[in-house]
């Protein structure tokens, strides 16, 4: 028996509303996800829009007004961010508010929160058909700093560089934050024009998770969000990328102490495929956990690294290996990682590895519904792929994966790019 | 078994202290899939000078040994405990802080089995010279990973500026030369001294029955023999009130400079309610001066001196205490000057009651939100309990955080003598 509640989804004018009624939490979480395919010319604009939207509304024309309001709402959480899921760039506006039940004074916090969020989306602070100049300037500066900070965190930097190399000819190469040199040229007018386009055309999903009265919430949401009907469900994007003729190897030098070895693989299996469960198990055995082949062989047996993991991008069909190693251990680490991949492909997988991994994946899925934000994330994965997958189906799918399924999934995996960030003037040896 | 109900939070906490001195706490969480348990010893990186259990002479141990011990405890004669946990569908982990070492797991099945595994592996050390040597490579890479992390460097940089002698200024993981000196015998000495049940606390939160959990732990402990509890003698050199260094600059391969300033607490040896009120007061003061709803935050943000990475915090742990303020900035010198001026301005103007009320509301909401998180509850409860405070009394304690208390604390803690700053600047390449 698993403790999951099925979300109730309602198609409303211009958006979908997903309600999860549960008594687990002391707060109510709301997420508004605004989705559009990555458009190279608009990536930076969209990142900036996510920040501008959180910085002023008609009734609360500055961050200061907004934050005072949030504090009065018992310190409601509020954020607006941008992220990539497959070939989509998604703006996510989130809020969580205390459930009135736990407060001494009874205030209609959820109603106030929904009304505030509808203003964030529909009535930002606008003057003369453009966003407020001061807000835009400020947020441009912050966005630039944000983009720069990727460079400062070498793990994130190496990840970004690997993706740029691996997806050279695809929109997926774009970082969700956009490009630093494009920020300055965005005008308040152009941003506002883009915003109107987003509001009229993008696919919008609203999630509400908490101990709430579903019907009441539905009415409140409907009366607050007055959006126009739009062409729904842009067809899901099953671009299959061509496998490169030969592996790409990229070396880069910086003044760092530890080398960052990031390796990108492609697989033809993505979230919507039936053998998605098998590729998840594959990734788990390969490098998802502390019993996985990468952890055991790179770290435990050879002491080459503190971390050696693999992560999957489910919507694009990519697997990324990450490890921090000494520069001189490059060849050794790469050959161990290759050997582990060979073992995956030829089925050198123990029964323990298979069952442990399935247990851990099951645990991961069940744990994610204990946290309102990861629950929403899980539900939204299904939404983005266009394939509804209930928690129970997911659990069953994982438990049915056989060794043969994993070997078959492994056969779809090919090495694409090896990226190594190393110290300046270091030899390859 | 003790049972305490917290009506407003709708939570009940069960606890028992066993003959060997171990304290166990259980917080049932209805509706959750996951159970999260931490087994924590009051032993961290600062405890490097003590009298070993059953001996008379003081011993100074190598830097980083508490953290090293944490790594090695996972290894057993018949392999790695990580493997046992993943077979049982649990993910296990551990962390070492300045004052605590915690071992933990979370799982959605086999809770009792996992709990036994947790208790047993922490209470049955197995160290050998070979495995100790092997770990040095792994931890060496962990140290280098942190060396390349600018946020960690500036955080530690400012702590190093503050302290003349207190071992809080030593990196938790130690250095490559210091961990080279660690031996199997030294690990056993530290283990025997600090892992006595009377120095430890077990916290279980999740969908569990408190009676059966406590019974399980009791039976488990009854089968084991421990030396009689003894007061641990730890030594710390007298720490001057003044900071060791007023300013330091670190150069790294980054694009955005960083700046962290701090105040060293002159009397960090409070316990119980007194410490709780001190912590709440300083954190509220920081929010008052630098939180997103303050005029000063708005000014600094508008001037481009801070961005969303700006943060602040106060910690007090008996032997040391400090507040930290900072983040990414375009101009570390100017930001430092502005932060100091803001504090002086607030000192001369005093604090207004409306803002205090609003901030208290915010803190209450924040506290409720954190009650959604089993991780927060277990880890913070333990930290509070080691400082003789009660996590579930936080909301009540705010009543004692009055304008008078705040103004007194403001003048005492934020003293120029206690001030220091650390800057991280891009290396010219």
């Amino acid at each position: 028996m698993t403790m999951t509640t099925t979300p109730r989804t309602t198609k409303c004018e211009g958006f979908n509303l997903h309600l999860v009624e549960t008594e687990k939490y002391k707060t109510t979480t709301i997420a508004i996800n605004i989705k559009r395919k990555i458009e190279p010319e608009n990536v930076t604009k969209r990142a900036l829009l996510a920040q501008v939207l959180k910085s002023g509304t008609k009734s609360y024309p500055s961050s200061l007004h907004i934050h005072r309001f949030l504090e009065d709402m018992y310190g409601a959480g509020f954020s607006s961010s941008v992220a990539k899921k497959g070939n989509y760039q998604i703006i996510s506006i989130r809020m969580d508010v205390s459930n009135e039940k736990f407060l001494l004074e009874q205030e209609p916090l959820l109603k106030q929160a929904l009304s505030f969020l509808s203003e964030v989306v529909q009535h930002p602070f606008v003057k003369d058909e453009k966003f407020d100049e001061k807000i835009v300037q400020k947020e441009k500066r912050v966005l630039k700093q944000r983009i720069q900070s990727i460079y400062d965190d070498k793990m994130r930097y190496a990840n970004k560089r690997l993706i740029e190399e691996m997806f050279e000819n695809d929109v997926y190469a774009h970082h969700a934050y956009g490009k630093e040199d494009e920020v300055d040229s965005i005008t308040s007018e152009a941003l506002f024009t883009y915003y109107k386009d987003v509001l009229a055309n993008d696919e919008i999903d609203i999630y509400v998770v908490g101990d709430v009265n579903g019907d009441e919430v539905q009415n409140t949401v409907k009366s607050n969000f007055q959006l126009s009907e739009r062409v729904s469900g842009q067809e899901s994007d099953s671009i299959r990328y061509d496998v490169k003729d030969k592996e790409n190897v990229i070396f880069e030098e910086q003044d760092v102490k530890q080398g960052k070895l990031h390796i990108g693989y492609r697989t033809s299996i993505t979230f919507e495929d039936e053998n998605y469960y098998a590729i998840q198990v594959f990734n788990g055995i390969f490098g998802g956990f502390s019993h996985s082949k990468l952890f055991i062989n790179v770290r435990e047996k050879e002491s080459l690294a503190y971390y050696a993991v693999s992560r999957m991008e489910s919507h694009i069909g990519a697997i990324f290996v990450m490890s921090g190693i000494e520069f001189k251990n490059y060849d050794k680490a790469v050959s161990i990682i290759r050997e582990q991949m060979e073992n995956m492909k030829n089925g050198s997988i123990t029964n323990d590895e298979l069952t442990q991994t399935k247990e851990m994946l099951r645990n991961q899925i069940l744990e994610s519904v204990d946290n309102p934000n990861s629950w929403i994330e899980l539900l939204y994965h299904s939404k983005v792929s266009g394939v509804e997958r209930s928690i129970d189906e997911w659990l069953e799918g994982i438990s049915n994966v056989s060794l043969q399924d994993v070997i078959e999934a492994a056969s779809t995996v090919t090495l694409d790019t090896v990226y190594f960030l190393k110290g300046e003037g270091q030899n390859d040896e | 078994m003790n049972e305490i109900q917290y009506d407003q939070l709708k939570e009940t906490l069960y606890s028992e202290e066993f003959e060997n001195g171990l304290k166990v706490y259980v917080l049932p969480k209805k509706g959750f899939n996951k159970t999260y348990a931490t087994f924590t010893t009051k032993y961290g990186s600062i405890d490097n000078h003590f009298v070993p259990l059953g001996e008379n002479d003081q011993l100074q141990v190598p830097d980083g040994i508490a953290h090293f011990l944490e790594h090695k405890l996972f290894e057993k004669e018949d392999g790695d405990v990580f493997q046992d946990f993943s077979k049982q569908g649990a993910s296990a982990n551990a962390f070492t802080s300045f004052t605590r070492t915690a071992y933990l797991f979370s799982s959605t099945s086999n809770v009792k089995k996992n709990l036994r595994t947790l208790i047993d592996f922490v209470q049955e050390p197995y160290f050998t010279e070979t495995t100790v040597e092997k770990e040095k490579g792994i931890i060496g890479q962990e140290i280098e990973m942190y060396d390349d992390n600018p946020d960690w460097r500036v955080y530690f940089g400012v702590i190093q500026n503050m302290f003349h002698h207190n071992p809080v200024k030593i990196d938790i993981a130690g250095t490559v030369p210091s961990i080279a000196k660690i031996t199997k015998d030294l690990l056993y000495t530290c283990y025997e001294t600090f892992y006595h049940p009377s120095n430890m606390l077990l916290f279980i939160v999740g969908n569990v029955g408190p009676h059966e959990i406590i019974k399980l732990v009791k039976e488990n402990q009854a089968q084991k023999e421990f030396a009689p509890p003894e007061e641990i003698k730890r030594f710390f050199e007298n720490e001057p009130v003044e900071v060791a260094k007023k300013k330091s600059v670190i150069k790294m391969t980054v694009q955005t400079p960083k700046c962290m300033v701090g105040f060293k607490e002159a009397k960090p040896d409070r316990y119980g309610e007194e410490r709780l009120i001190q912590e709440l007061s300083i954190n509220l003061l920081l929010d008052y001066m630098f939180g997103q709803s303050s005029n000063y935050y708005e000014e600094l943000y508008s001037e481009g001196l801070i961005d969303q990475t700006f943060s602040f915090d106060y910690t007090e742990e008996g032997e040391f205490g400090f507040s930290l303020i900072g983040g990414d900035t375009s101009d570390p010198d100017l930001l430092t000057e502005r932060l100091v001026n803001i504090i002086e301005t607030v000192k001369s103007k005093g604090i207004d009651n409306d803002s205090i009320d609003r901030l208290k509301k915010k803190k209450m909401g924040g506290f409720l939100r954190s009650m959604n998180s089993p991780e927060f509850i277990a880890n913070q409860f333990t930290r509070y309990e080691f400082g003789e405070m009660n996590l579930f009394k936080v909301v009540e304690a705010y009543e004692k955080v009055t304008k008078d208390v705040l103004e007194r604390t403001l003048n005492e803690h934020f003293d120029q003598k206690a001030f220091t700053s650390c800057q991280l600047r891009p290396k010219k390449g």
Side-chain angles (χ1 to χ4, degrees):
Chain A
M1 258 290 284
T2 59
M3 299 275 189
T4 58
T5 317
T6 318
R8 184 142 64 101
T9 297
T10 319
K11 175 92 194 64
C12 305
E13 197 168 322
F15 64 95
N16 294 302
L17 174 65
H18 313 270
L19 274 167
V20 181
E21 291 175 54
T22 166
E23 287 180 14
K24 272 194 223 185
Y25 313 120
K26 292 189 161 57
T27 58
T28 306
T29 305
I30 309 155
I32 303 172
N33 289 347
I34 307 173
K35 184 182 104 186
R36 171 181 292 212
K37 276 186 193 153
I38 296 170
E39 297 168 337
E41 69 279 16
N42 286 328
V43 173
T44 314
K45 225 180 264 172
R46 196 171 179 86
L48 182 61
L49 179 63
Q51 288 182 201
V52 167
L53 287 181
K54 71 165 168 50
S55 308
T57 72
K58 206 164 102 189
S59 324
Y60 304 98
S62 73
S63 294
L64 190 62
H65 287 93
I66 290 177
H67 286 288
R68 294 218 164 134
F69 161 74
L70 294 171
E71 283 177 1
D72 275 327
M73 299 258 300
Y74 285 86
F78 171 56
S79 68
S80 168
S81 60
V82 66
K84 234 173 13 172
K85 247 191 189 58
N87 281 332
Y88 296 103
Q89 191 187 8
I90 292 147
I91 296 176
S92 188
I93 299 169
R94 291 185 181 228
M95 205 165 166
D96 68 318
V97 285
S98 300
N99 192 311
E100 295 91 334
K101 282 183 190 164
F102 300 97
L103 301 172
L104 293 170
E105 303 156 59
Q106 297 290 318
E107 287 183 46
L109 294 181
L110 181 57
K111 276 200 170 141
Q112 291 172 21
L114 287 166
S115 134
F116 168 71
L117 281 175
S118 73
E119 240 198 58
V120 171
V121 174
Q122 303 170 118
H123 305 289
F125 184 45
V126 169
K127 277 193 289 195
D128 313 322
E129 282 295 289
K130 57 178 189 179
F131 285 113
D132 178 57
E133 206 62 60
K134 255 168 57 194
I135 290 179
V136 173
Q137 286 315 320
K138 211 160 59 179
E139 294 306 324
K140 277 178 163 179
R141 208 164 40 212
V142 170
L143 180 59
K144 278 197 279 187
Q145 213 150 304
R146 229 178 205 193
I147 297 169
Q148 286 177 359
S149 75
I150 300 168
Y151 175 87
D152 301 349
D153 179 339
K154 301 309 171 195
M155 217 187 288
R156 281 170 72 206
Y157 176 75
N159 229 6
K160 176 171 179 274
R161 288 286 301 115
L162 172 68
I163 287 170
E164 283 168 1
E165 294 290 344
M166 208 171 146
F167 297 90
E168 231 186 320
N169 305 312
D170 306 310
V171 291
Y172 190 72
H174 289 271
H175 193 277
Y177 292 172
K179 292 199 170 74
E180 191 184 345
D181 58 9
E182 289 177 5
V183 177
D184 280 332
S185 60
I186 302 171
T187 63
S188 310
E189 290 88 348
L191 191 64
F192 189 64
T193 309
Y194 176 69
Y195 157 74
K196 283 196 293 192
D197 184 24
V198 166
L199 194 64
N201 297 310
D202 284 14
E203 198 173 324
I204 299 179
D205 287 279
I206 301 179
Y207 293 84
V208 180
V209 178
D211 189 3
V212 296
N213 177 325
D215 296 330
E216 222 174 278
V217 171
Q218 193 168 319
N219 290 334
T220 314
V221 172
K222 275 188 184 162
S223 66
N224 276 297
F225 287 84
Q226 310 274 335
L227 296 165
S228 56
E229 209 48 83
R230 58 208 61 210
V231 190
S232 71
Q234 309 165 0
E235 77 289 7
S236 107
D237 218 18
S238 316
I239 301 169
R240 304 295 185 195
Y241 296 96
D242 296 331
V243 174
K244 293 193 179 85
D245 322 337
K246 69 178 190 42
E247 297 166 6
N248 201 5
V249 180
I250 311 284
F251 287 103
E252 197 173 323
E253 291 187 3
Q254 270 184 26
D255 182 14
V256 290
K257 289 197 177 163
Q258 184 178 59
K260 301 288 183 211
L261 174 61
H262 287 218
I263 303 178
Y265 299 85
R266 289 176 189 271
T267 162
S268 56
I269 305 171
T270 58
F271 194 92
E272 61 261 37
D273 294 307
E274 206 144 295
N275 43 2
Y276 173 66
Y277 303 118
I279 198 78
Q280 256 201 313
V281 174
F282 163 88
N283 181 58
I285 298 172
F286 182 51
F289 301 101
S290 54
H291 67 267
S292 304
K293 289 188 183 295
L294 293 182
F295 189 90
I296 296 294
N297 291 286
V298 179
R299 173 175 152 143
E300 295 299 298
K301 288 205 178 133
E302 297 292 336
S303 303
L304 293 182
Y306 172 62
Y307 65 92
V309 297
S310 69
R311 295 281 172 265
M312 217 165 53
E313 213 304 346
S314 305
H315 299 282
I316 212 87
I319 291 170
F320 305 114
V321 168
M322 290 167 255
S323 188
I325 57 170
E326 269 187 66
F327 311 127
K328 66 171 168 43
N329 288 331
Y330 170 81
D331 286 329
K332 200 169 171 188
V334 170
S335 89
I336 293 171
I337 294 167
R338 281 181 188 278
E339 198 185 311
Q340 298 319 309
M341 182 56 84
E342 274 318 301
N343 288 339
M344 293 298 302
K345 286 176 183 283
N346 64 33
S348 302
I349 296 165
T350 65
N351 205 28
D352 269 358
E353 284 176 310
L354 182 66
T355 49
Q356 274 169 292
T357 301
K358 284 158 71 170
E359 273 298 314
M360 294 303 279
L361 288 168
R362 179 188 161 77
N363 188 45
Q364 236 171 34
I365 295 163
L366 283 173
E367 281 196 11
S368 66
V369 298
D370 280 348
N371 175 296
N373 283 306
S374 43
W375 198 345
I376 291 171
E377 191 69 15
L378 203 69
L379 294 171
Y380 196 56
H381 267 301
S382 284
K383 192 73 208 357
V384 168
S385 70
V387 178
E388 292 293 330
R389 210 171 249 140
S390 75
I391 304 286
D392 288 327
E393 278 173 87
W394 202 321
L395 293 173
E396 204 194 318
I398 294 289
S399 103
N400 289 338
V401 172
S402 68
L403 179 62
Q404 197 49 44
D405 296 335
V406 176
I407 297 171
E408 274 164 33
S411 73
T412 70
V413 180
T414 50
L415 196 153
D416 185 288
T417 300
V418 178
Y419 171 88
F420 189 48
L421 178 66
K422 56 180 183 165
E424 278 159 351
Q426 298 286 330
N427 290 327
D428 296 356
E429 296 309 309
Chain B
M1 190 174 78
N2 300 308
E3 181 181 332
I4 309 173
Q5 286 193 21
Y6 299 98
D7 293 335
Q8 191 59 32
L9 291 168
K10 300 190 172 62
E11 303 281 11
T12 308
L13 181 69
Y14 301 84
S15 66
E16 189 160 333
E17 186 173 338
F18 303 127
E19 266 169 48
N20 64 20
L22 176 67
K23 287 180 187 156
V24 56
Y25 292 85
V26 181
L27 188 80
K29 274 272 182 196
K30 249 177 62 188
F32 274 66
N33 293 311
K34 130 160 121 183
T35 296
Y36 180 82
T38 57
F39 194 15
T40 311
T41 160
K42 197 175 177 179
Y43 166 53
S45 63
I46 66 166
D47 301 301
N48 63 357
H49 190 188
F50 56 92
V51 177
L53 185 81
E55 292 180 27
N56 297 313
D57 298 333
Q58 301 178 15
L59 177 70
Q60 178 91 37
V61 289
D63 296 345
I65 196 164
H67 170 259
F68 202 100
L69 203 169
E70 172 230 295
H71 271 237
K72 278 336 290 168
L73 213 44
F74 281 92
E75 198 152 303
K76 300 295 158 208
E77 196 168 1
D78 52 356
D80 196 322
V81 190
F82 279 124
Q83 301 288 331
D84 299 336
F85 277 115
S86 55
K87 274 178 204 152
Q88 293 160 199
S91 59
N93 214 333
F95 63 83
T96 307
S97 74
F98 296 128
T99 53
R100 286 173 292 144
T101 312
Y103 300 84
L104 57 99
F105 77 83
S106 74
S107 77
T108 53
S109 56
N110 302 316
V111 169
K112 287 187 191 166
K113 231 183 199 172
N114 285 316
L115 185 57
R116 273 191 214 105
T117 305
L118 175 71
I119 302 169
D120 290 345
F121 100 79
V122 173
Q123 293 190 327
E124 287 157 17
Y126 177 79
F127 309 133
T128 68
E129 287 303 351
T130 326
T131 59
V132 167
E133 284 316 305
K134 221 190 60 193
E135 200 67 23
K136 290 178 181 172
I138 297 171
I139 294 180
Q141 285 311 304
E142 186 177 0
I143 291 169
E144 295 206 333
M145 178 179 85
Y146 280 105
D147 278 347
D148 277 337
N149 182 323
D151 289 314
W152 181 256
R153 292 285 299 276
V154 74
Y155 165 77
F156 236 90
V158 72
I159 295 173
Q160 280 166 341
N161 285 356
M162 281 182 208
F163 295 93
H164 296 261
H165 311 297
N166 193 290
V168 67
K169 68 177 192 170
I170 300 162
D171 204 319
I172 292 171
T175 59
V176 172
S178 80
I179 61 169
K181 294 182 221 143
I182 293 173
T183 61
K184 166 194 102 173
D185 293 335
L186 278 173
L187 288 180
Y188 275 115
T189 303
C190 292
Y191 180 86
E192 299 302 340
T193 308
F194 293 105
Y195 283 69
H196 191 280
S198 60
N199 195 42
M200 298 191 72
L201 190 154
L202 181 62
F203 198 102
I204 300 114
V205 48
N207 197 359
V208 291
H211 294 90
E212 52 174 352
I213 292 291
I214 289 183
K215 189 167 157 252
L216 180 158
V217 181
K218 196 174 196 165
E219 284 169 4
N220 176 287
Q221 292 303 284
Q223 291 162 8
K224 296 174 185 169
E225 294 226 12
F226 297 95
E230 237 179 70
E231 177 100 32
I232 303 170
K233 293 189 195 76
R234 314 173 198 229
F235 302 95
F236 298 96
E237 245 183 279
N238 244 339
E239 179 67 34
V241 171
E242 293 78 22
V243 297
K245 216 179 194 182
K246 290 303 266 184
K247 183 183 169 180
S248 63
V249 180
I250 300 167
K251 295 266 170 91
M252 276 181 83
T253 319
V254 296
Q255 291 184 345
T256 312
K258 290 176 193 292
C259 173
M260 191 66 84
V261 308
F263 290 87
K264 173 177 168 181
E265 171 58 28
K267 294 177 297 185
D269 53 355
R270 300 171 185 83
Y271 278 90
E273 194 184 43
E274 214 190 329
R275 189 196 289 180
L276 184 58
I277 289 168
Q278 167 84 358
E279 277 194 9
L280 297 178
S281 300
I282 295 187
N283 278 313
L284 199 117
L285 284 165
L286 288 167
D287 228 325
Y288 181 91
M289 297 187 281
F290 306 116
Q292 288 181 307
S293 69
S294 77
N295 291 320
Y296 305 114
Y297 180 95
E298 180 79 355
E299 276 171 36
L300 297 171
Y301 194 95
S302 299
E303 290 167 45
L305 285 174
I306 60 172
D307 64 10
Q308 80 292 333
T309 62
F310 184 73
S311 69
F312 42 79
D313 188 35
Y314 178 72
T315 346
E316 187 177 307
E317 298 275 352
E319 294 305 325
F320 61 88
F322 50 76
S323 53
L324 298 177
I325 311 157
D328 290 359
T329 179
S330 52
D331 188 338
D333 284 327
L334 187 56
L335 178 61
T336 306
E337 191 189 315
R338 295 293 308 276
L339 293 174
V340 171
N341 288 341
I342 290 168
I343 292 167
E344 291 309 315
T345 309
V346 175
K347 276 186 192 169
S348 64
K349 273 186 164 173
I351 293 168
D352 73 272
N353 272 316
D354 286 352
S355 300
I356 300 176
D357 291 344
R358 203 182 55 230
L359 286 169
K360 281 188 184 175
K361 259 180 149 181
K362 172 187 172 180
K363 298 282 185 192
M364 267 175 232
F367 184 74
L368 269 187
R369 182 172 314 123
S370 58
M371 287 290 117
N372 284 341
S373 161
E375 291 85 352
F376 176 90
I377 296 171
N379 291 319
Q380 288 304 309
F381 184 91
T382 305
R383 190 179 91 79
Y384 274 60
E385 156 66 37
F386 284 167
E388 296 165 18
M389 303 176 280
N390 183 344
L391 177 67
F392 298 104
K393 294 265 166 97
V394 164
V395 174
E396 265 172 66
Y398 271 114
E399 282 165 26
K400 297 194 177 161
V401 180
T402 59
K403 184 173 150 77
D404 284 352
V405 170
L406 288 168
E407 287 179 344
R408 197 185 62 228
T409 310
L410 175 67
N411 285 297
E412 278 172 11
H413 176 72
F414 296 94
D415 182 342
Q416 272 310 307
K417 279 203 298 290
F419 177 83
T420 177
S421 73
C422 178
Q423 305 184 350
L424 190 128
R425 291 177 177 274
K427 202 175 249 182
K428 304 247 160 47

